[in-house]
Structures are given as structure tokens and as C-alpha cells.
Amino acid sequence: MFFGLLNSGSVRLPRRKAIRTVLVVEDEPLVAFDNEHALEQAGYSIAATVDDYDHAVAVIDGGELDLVIADVALHGPKSGIDVARHAHAKGLPVLFVTGHCPIDARELAVGCLAKPYAPRDLVAAIRVIDARLRGARQPRLPVGLSLFEPN
């Protein structure tokens, strides 16, 4: 079987990644679709894309996640901050993607990417968070990304 191209007879091993599987919590369908597409193209696995708290909690409780990307405003009575609180309790990092970064929820997330953002900025933000989680040298922050200091 052939699985890819080899360049000059050498094989490059993939770099170790802390983030492989992502949950997208977004209530705007077009934004959710763009996020999924950009993340899949960048090599991330999408565990699910959901638009409310209850579905997000079900996926988080199912395990096998490395990062939760959550909008703050969601369908239903609970918000992305509630999702972040649940993920944080499970030890999962959260990246808020929202027009208004919640200052009072900094202890629940690793950062916030301000809307509107380009898909490449979302991917770059995840790479920054991945480097931080691994303790590796952090790449340049994309436009709109604010990182929160770890507790």
C-alpha cells in the first residue's frame, strides 16, 4: 500500500501533538461549517460539532477529546461559559471563539479568539495552544488571539 509521498528517500515523522481531537461548540451554522472544514484540512479530527450545552456535555463526557472550541452565546439557557466550566472540571482545555471575550471566565479557558476571524487564524490559535500545552516554543500569536495565564 502507498500512503504518501517520500521526498529524497527520507521519512519525516509527525511532530508530537497535544491536540488531535476537537469539539466545536458553535450555534452559527456557517461558522461551524467553516471551522470544521479548516480544522479537518489542518489534520485535526472533529469529535462533533454541536450548538448547545446539553450536546456539548454529552460529547465531553464521552471522552477522547483534546480541546473544546466554544462560542459564548449558544442556543438554550446555558452558554459557552457553562460548557467551559464543565470541560474545565474534566481537565479539558477550552478556547473561546466569540465577539466578546468573557473576562470573568479566564480561569476556565486557555484563551479567546475574537470574532470575526479567518479560518487560518483558528488553526494558528490551536497550534499556539498546542505548543503551550506541550511546553514547546510558542509560535507567533494570530490576530485576535488572547491567551490567559494558567492558574
Side-chain angles (χ1 to χ4, degrees):
M1 286 186 163
F2 183 73
F3 293 103
L5 297 175
L6 296 178
N7 188 8
S8 305
S10 65
V11 175
R12 290 184 61 192
L13 296 175
R15 292 183 298 159
R16 190 183 80 195
K17 289 168 74 174
I19 300 172
R20 291 191 174 109
T21 305
V22 178
L23 167 62
V24 177
V25 185
E26 174 62 62
D27 66 342
E28 296 178 42
L30 292 176
V31 174
F33 175 79
D34 285 347
N35 287 348
E36 275 188 4
H37 182 72
L39 295 174
E40 286 173 345
Q41 291 296 310
Y44 296 100
S45 174
I46 308 300
T49 298
V50 300
D51 65 356
D52 64 23
Y53 173 84
D54 292 332
H55 287 105
V57 166
V59 176
I60 291 167
D61 289 347
E64 302 300 319
L65 290 177
D66 301 311
L67 178 69
V68 176
I69 299 170
D71 190 359
V72 172
L74 299 176
H75 292 299
K78 295 205 175 189
S79 71
I81 294 172
D82 296 308
V83 171
R85 192 171 287 115
H86 188 80
H88 183 75
K90 298 283 186 175
L92 283 170
V94 175
L95 172 64
F96 286 122
V97 289
T98 183
H100 303 287
C101 292
I103 305 257
D104 59 336
R106 288 176 174 251
E107 70 276 0
L108 299 175
V110 293
C112 182
L113 182 61
K115 284 183 177 179
Y117 54 83
R120 71 178 176 278
D121 291 332
L122 175 61
V123 171
I126 293 171
R127 288 186 178 135
V128 168
I129 293 167
D130 186 276
R132 178 181 260 198
L133 293 173
R134 291 183 291 114
R137 186 170 159 258
Q138 204 169 276
R140 188 173 63 106
L141 270 60
V143 173
L145 176 64
S146 300
L147 290 180
F148 304 147
E149 291 303 315
N151 293 346

